[in-house]
Amino acid sequence: MNAPDRPTRPIRPIQALPDQLISQIAAGEVIERPSAVVKELLENALDAGATQITVRLEQGGVKRIAITDNGRGIPPDQMPLALARHATSKIASLTDLENVGTLGFRGEALASIASVAQLTLTTRTADAAHAWEITGSQDGNVVPASGAPGTTIDVQDLYFNTPARRKFLKSEQTEYGHCAEVVRRIALARPDVTFSLTHNGKTVDHWNVGEFAKRSAHILGDEFANARLPVDESAGPLRIHGFIGLPTASKARADGQYFYVNGRFVRDKLLVHAVRAAYQDVLHGDRYPSYALALDLDPALVDVNVHPSKIEVRFRDSRSVHQFVFHAVSRALAATSATSFGNAPAPQAAGNGPLPWMRDQVQQPQHQAEFGAQLRPNFSGSGFGVAQNTADYGAMFRPGTQTNLDMASTSGSETTTGAFTMPVAANTQSLPADDFPLGFALAQLHGIYVLAQNSKGLVVVDMHAAHERILYEQLKNALDDNSMFVQPLLIPVTFYADAVEVGTVEEHQDTLSALGFDIAAMSPTTLAVRAVPALLKNADAQTLARDVLRDVREFGGSRVLLERRNELLGTLACHTAVRANRSLTVPEMNALLRQMEATERADQCNHGRPTWSQLALSDMDKLFLRGQ
């Protein structure tokens, strides 16, 4: 098959391009669509010190984009220069470029926009008697005009002189959506500025000056506002602040993620990965967290001049920035509702040490009581046990007292377990409710949920999800501290294994030992489990062994301990956690509640589902029309 004939390109001498063509080529890099015009003009308005900005769009910004601000304005003698390429008041030397403190700095925006649209610049300084106006490029005439102090830039008929590029624009609604998203991003970064957005003569959004919390709630929605955690930490030259959404506020798309570096919205892979890694223990793999975070640092430590649209940055010490962001978000997620009251361990704030030594300083739970469950039947096996006197359990489960689900016997004034003795007071008065945010157990519903009463009303706990989180955190802590206690089995559990599984055992004994397993090959087709982690002693040894061997075989010993560790520990915790339709006694239910209060991230299971929910008395009053 012969190749098609290609037209021959005429040979031309090397020559300098005309200024108009240079501007149009530059516009292709900077002005991709109407939203890029909005971004550049809004950044200029903020750099000019504006506190009120109005954005008016027509036909998605294709027909018209008009942005008015109350900033400093431009003196009339500098207006033609403002439309020239690479002319700016924001930098003058390489030192200024390395310490950029403004959103814009290249001096390309107005010249690029003027090369592909009809641009009119109207501006007035505070000491001027009236405004001045210039139309078109830097060769236009500056004429007197009317206008308040500040600047209005009116851009009409985008790409009127480059019809090929205009054909690539999408529908009016799509282009408007991109423009509105740009306004939201910038408005979220500057809650100290009033923003107004209109489209085709109709006001769509308006944000008054307010706090960041209120602005983020307005832009990200009520679901985020009702399920968010504050973040505010510093370490050396770094500070991160803002809000992150609970896993219950996650989305199917990554459209609720706003990250700012020195006030500039960025989409940086390093920062996105740091936040995502912090959520890995509490969020399902196909869900995306929502957040509005701002990272402040010395401008000399970040390069913002790596992308034409300035949406990407490069950090001088990227590893330290990644670790700082990861640990800050992790600590915020660890300090969830069930761990932030009373005497439960609280996460420490970040230190102010030098960057190379930043590390996670979260306090680990003080109580590592086992939750191996020899769970006794309850009240004729109905799965619905009711406490006779909730107050009697107050002294028994005071914070600071170790508790255990492995209840053996109860006699007299003492409750005896396999590890310790807990005194029970006969007449215990009501204790401060803040010491027990999850309250005291009342009953077990259908063998699935634990019902408890606290000062706010009714608490409903998914016992399997809660126990799974507790076991998972205990396994992580034990592995991190090299304190994975091993439970030898009185009678080894043997099972049939193929040659690959036997080979895996022989090749990765060190990895298996680090995880608390003692597995030996008894024959070419038989494996024996001789010991398991003490925290998992009541689980099915064969199932645990097969899960561990499968991951070790698939990913290798080193990767399992480094990259796949959390997934493996989550699987092991799920196998061991108390199952549905298992009856718990009231002391066992209270032990579960107390351990939740002492466990980080206890609000969600390993898959991001909530472990407990609060039903307030006011909600129940409405349900039964009390007081109406």
Side-chain angles (χ1 to χ4, degrees), residues 340-372:
S340 58
F341 298 91
N343 297 321
Q348 285 185 343
N352 292 316
L355 285 177
W357 292 276
M358 286 191 296
R359 59 172 58 92
D360 198 353
Q361 299 177 358
V362 179
Q363 288 182 342
Q364 303 300 341
Q366 298 172 2
H367 312 309
Q368 299 296 336
E370 296 178 10
F371 264 74

Side-chain angles (χ1 to χ4, degrees), residues 2 55 117 123 133 193 221 226 302 322 328 362 399 432 441 459 480 585 589 593:
N2 296 327
V55 181
T123 184
E133 183 177 283
V193 177
N226 296 329
V302 57
H322 182 281
V362 179
V459 174
D480 290 340
T585 64
M589 288 187 280
L593 298 177

Side-chain angles (χ1 to χ4, degrees), residues 9 43 79 134 263 270 287 354 389 427 478 491 495 597 627:
R9 182 178 62 87
E43 290 180 347
M79 291 174 65
I134 184 173
L270 179 138
R287 302 288 293 179
N389 187 353
N427 296 312
I491 301 176
F495 59 94
E597 293 166 351

